[in-house]
Amino acid sequence: MTARRRALFVAPGYSLLLALLILGPLLGPGYLLLRDAVSTPRSYLTDSALGLTDAAARAVPQDALLATLSVVVDGGLVVKAILLVALWAVGWGAARMVCTVLPTAGLGPQLVAATVTVWNPYVAERLLQGHWSLLTGYAALPWTVCATVAIRRGHRRGWFALAACLAAAGLTPTGVLLAAVTAVAVLARPGGRSAAWLRVTGAFGLFVVASAPWLVATALAGGGGDGSDPAGVAAFAARAEPGLATLGSLAGLGGVWNETAVPDTRTTLFALVGTVLLLGVVLCGLPALWRRRRHPVVAALTALALVAVLLPTLGATAWGLDAGRWMVQNVPGAGLLRDAQKWVALAAPLYALAAAAAVLRRHGTWSLSAVLIVLLALPDLAWGVGGALRPVHYPPSWQQVAAEVDGDPDSGDVAVLPTGMFRKFPYSGAAPVLDPAPRMLPEDVLQTGELVVAGGTVKGEGSRAQQVERVLLTGGSAADLASLGVRWVLVERDTPGPRGESATTLAGLERQFSDEHLELYRVGGDVAQHEASDRARATVSAAHLLWALLLAGGLLGAGVLEARTRQRRRHQP
């Protein structure tokens, strides 16, 4: 077996090993429940899961996918599998990208590139923030580069591969935007077997199909149509880490807005040391890339990396924050841009190429040294980011409440006490977690989308949920709740939070279930209906189906054409 053929097996195996080393503790029995990440045994195709509420469709199509798959497979296993595949795929994809762009690269440079893309602050901070679905978009980036190179060379499989990449990244809106920007940056460069404008037009068409679930849901429901709270721009701006200015933090692939969602080593001056080590490996390869600066892919990824680091840095300045506040108030959909640090993912492909180029013509010892340096730059990414990433176990009460709601013949939405979106359960650890109720229960759970960040408040889009919260906190009547479409009130007893005068409201309701964890109350009589129309649900469901077909068709088409290509090569004299 040639060295190049060995690399075909070693690189994915090594990437899988890194993924297992990071996620190890999470892979045991239990569920992911950490900050924004919520996995549950079963979830449901509610209007919220389809994006058909007055809140922005941020979790589309991921929630609908989980609701569909959890009918036959435990939802916790689905989330763990997707997360494991994402981390495995990004390392393997980086190795493939190096082979594609730097054809003389052997196994050593491939493993260095895989290490840089898997083992860095961006991955650690997004894991701790609970952005598991965003990491699927991150994982698609090196594969997107490979697909666009194939397209530029006139290979038909490139279009199938790009379709699969955009659909996989499209598990979340931000993910598909990351992949689409990367694709356009490479395809728009002059040269290749076809005109640049034709390539870009084709990529845009695939982007629209991959984004169909959230685009259609937003158009039908108008979620977030009134603009995002401008307070969120400053709250979610990139952050300077110890010993580093904002520019240094972002250049080191760190700087997430939430200072509590970082590894311990990034809270001390070791953040500076780790950044120097990571960038040292990357910078050593820049001279070799500079000699290839006329290569369209190298040029495109270089420009992309500069923009990915510099724009979030500028966005954290006073005038940048002012510009951001204006945008989220006046430009539809600009709220997607407010978590500025997430866009630094666009620099990762160049970093991987540069790190590989640093050891391109050197002895294997250099590759091993580079791998060890990158690993040592962030030692506490190992084993669940220092043990923070671990499975939790829900009390049986949740399943009992879900069965009670599911068995009632009368539909209606669910209000939750205490008010607010985040919880601190005894079984979930010290970090606040998103309320699991919206994914646990078979009816829509009303949420305002309001976030408490750094002592301030960022308003959400859930206007009806805000009205329901006011009724509960002021001790309103059952009739008030019924007029707002509320059939159930769930009290989560083992978490702190505002309850106001809700005891007065609860006294007028029928208690259906109670234990030390949860209480469930039923609003009797007729309840106003606030469900999406059958036509809207059918239209959004069709958009989800189109997305799923794009993913399946892209993977199948790319796989078949790749197999045929390899078969032809084997039969060539």
Side-chain angles (χ1 to χ4, degrees), residues 59-76:
V60 175
Q62 72 171 50
D63 281 358
L65 177 68
L66 292 177
T68 302
L69 295 180
S70 65
V71 174
V72 293
V73 181
D74 184 273

Side-chain angles (χ1 to χ4, degrees), residues 46-87:
T46 60
D47 287 348
S48 296
L50 293 172
L52 291 173
T53 66
D54 54 0
R58 295 188 181 93
V60 175
Q62 72 171 50
D63 281 358
L65 177 68
L66 292 177
T68 302
L69 295 180
S70 65
V71 174
V72 293
V73 181
D74 184 273
L77 289 177
V78 174
V79 170
K80 292 175 188 178
I82 292 174
L83 190 48
L84 179 62
V85 169
L87 292 188

Side-chain angles (χ1 to χ4, degrees), residues 7 59 66 98-99 112 136-137 140 145 163 178 222 236 267 303 330 337 363 382 418 449 469 482 487 505 516 520 570:
L66 292 177
V98 167
C99 287
V112 172
T136 63
V145 174
L178 288 171
F236 296 114
T267 64
N330 297 281
L337 305 176
H363 191 270
E469 283 195 356
R487 171 66 69 188
T505 305
E516 70 271 26
L520 181 67
R570 282 197 297 267

Side-chain angles (χ1 to χ4, degrees), residues 23 47 69 160 238 253 263 285 301 374 456 512 560:
L23 299 178
D47 287 348
L69 295 180
F160 284 98
L253 302 182
L301 296 184
V374 174
Q512 302 291 111
V560 169

Side-chain angles (χ1 to χ4, degrees), residues 306-332:
L306 288 172
V307 170
V309 172
L310 293 178
L311 280 187
T313 302
L314 294 174
T317 64
W319 68 266
L321 293 174
D322 288 339
R325 282 187 280 263
W326 180 88
M327 286 183 64
V328 299
Q329 287 181 294
N330 297 281
V331 179

Side-chain angles (χ1 to χ4, degrees), residues 501-556:
E501 302 299 322
S502 59
T504 303
T505 305
L506 297 178
L509 306 181
E510 308 166 20
R511 189 163 67 178
Q512 302 291 111
F513 175 85
S514 179
D515 70 1
E516 70 271 26
H517 300 291
L518 301 173
E519 286 182 320
L520 181 67
Y521 292 84
R522 187 179 189 277
V523 177
D526 294 332
V527 167
Q529 295 299 306
H530 288 268
E531 296 178 350
S533 67
D534 291 342
R535 182 176 181 180
R537 287 181 64 90
T539 303
V540 172
S541 297
H544 280 76
L545 179 60
L546 186 62
W547 166 78
L549 290 174
L550 183 70
L551 176 60
L555 289 172
L556 180 61

Side-chain angles (χ1 to χ4, degrees), residues 172-532:
T172 181
T174 299
V176 73
L177 287 171
L178 288 171
V181 168
T182 301
V184 169
V186 177
L187 294 175
R189 297 290 301 179
R193 296 286 185 89
S194 56
W197 71 269
L198 282 174
R199 299 193 298 257
V200 171
T201 301
F204 180 76
L206 292 176
F207 163 76
V208 171
V209 177
S211 305
W214 62 274
L215 290 176
V216 172
T218 301
L220 291 176
D226 295 332
S228 300
D229 185 354
V233 175
F236 296 114
R239 179 183 54 85
E241 295 172 315
L244 297 162
T246 305
L247 177 60
S249 297
L250 290 168
L253 302 182
V256 71
W257 61 269
N258 187 354
E259 63 182 0
T260 66
V262 297
D264 289 341
T265 54
R266 304 296 292 188
T267 64
T268 68
L269 282 177
F270 191 82
L272 173 61
V273 176
T275 298
V276 169
L277 292 175
L278 174 63
L279 290 181
V281 173
V282 172
L283 292 174
C284 283
L286 289 184
L289 289 188
W290 176 253
R291 291 192 290 272
R292 296 170 171 82
R293 61 189 179 275
R294 289 187 173 83
H295 191 296
V297 177
V298 172
L301 296 184
T302 301
L304 205 57
L306 288 172
V307 170
V309 172
L310 293 178
L311 280 187
T313 302
L314 294 174
T317 64
W319 68 266
L321 293 174
D322 288 339
R325 282 187 280 263
W326 180 88
M327 286 183 64
V328 299
Q329 287 181 294
N330 297 281
V331 179
L336 276 171
L337 305 176
R338 67 184 186 182
D339 182 356
Q341 188 267 351
K342 64 188 176 186
W343 303 104
V344 82
L346 294 169
L350 178 76
Y351 280 33
L353 283 179
V359 297
L360 193 59
R361 300 184 185 278
R362 298 180 183 270
H363 191 270
T365 305
W366 283 95
S367 298
L368 178 60
S369 299
V371 166
L372 292 176
I373 288 171
V374 174
L375 294 177
L376 290 173
L378 194 59
D380 48 352
L381 177 53
W383 210 242
V385 197
L389 212 63
R390 58 176 181 79
V392 306
H393 299 273
Y394 293 107
S397 320
W398 283 103
Q399 297 300 317
Q400 294 171 275
V401 166
E404 187 73 36
V405 173
D406 198 29
D408 194 290
D410 297 321
S411 62
D413 295 337
V414 182
V416 182
L417 286 169
T419 57
M421 291 180 57
F422 282 85
R423 302 288 186 252
K424 283 190 176 182
F425 299 115
Y427 49 85
S428 64
V433 299
L434 268 178
D435 187 356
R439 291 167 178 83
M440 280 280 197
L441 303 183
E443 297 284 356
D444 276 308
V445 176
L446 297 174
Q447 289 193 313
T448 64
E450 186 172 279
L451 304 175
V452 178
V453 181
T457 300
V458 180
K459 295 180 180 178
E461 304 92 357
S463 57
R464 184 159 62 96
Q466 293 169 9
Q467 298 175 51
V468 169
E469 283 195 356
R470 283 194 292 270
V471 170
L472 291 172
L473 295 176
T474 57
S477 67
D480 294 331
L481 292 176
S483 68
L484 291 169
V486 175
R487 171 66 69 188
W488 305 94
V489 178
L490 177 67
V491 182
E492 300 173 16
R493 302 181 68 177
D494 47 4
T495 180
R499 286 177 166 82
E501 302 299 322
S502 59
T504 303
T505 305
L506 297 178
L509 306 181
E510 308 166 20
R511 189 163 67 178
Q512 302 291 111
F513 175 85
S514 179
D515 70 1
E516 70 271 26
H517 300 291
L518 301 173
E519 286 182 320
L520 181 67
Y521 292 84
R522 187 179 189 277
V523 177
D526 294 332
V527 167
Q529 295 299 306
H530 288 268
E531 296 178 350

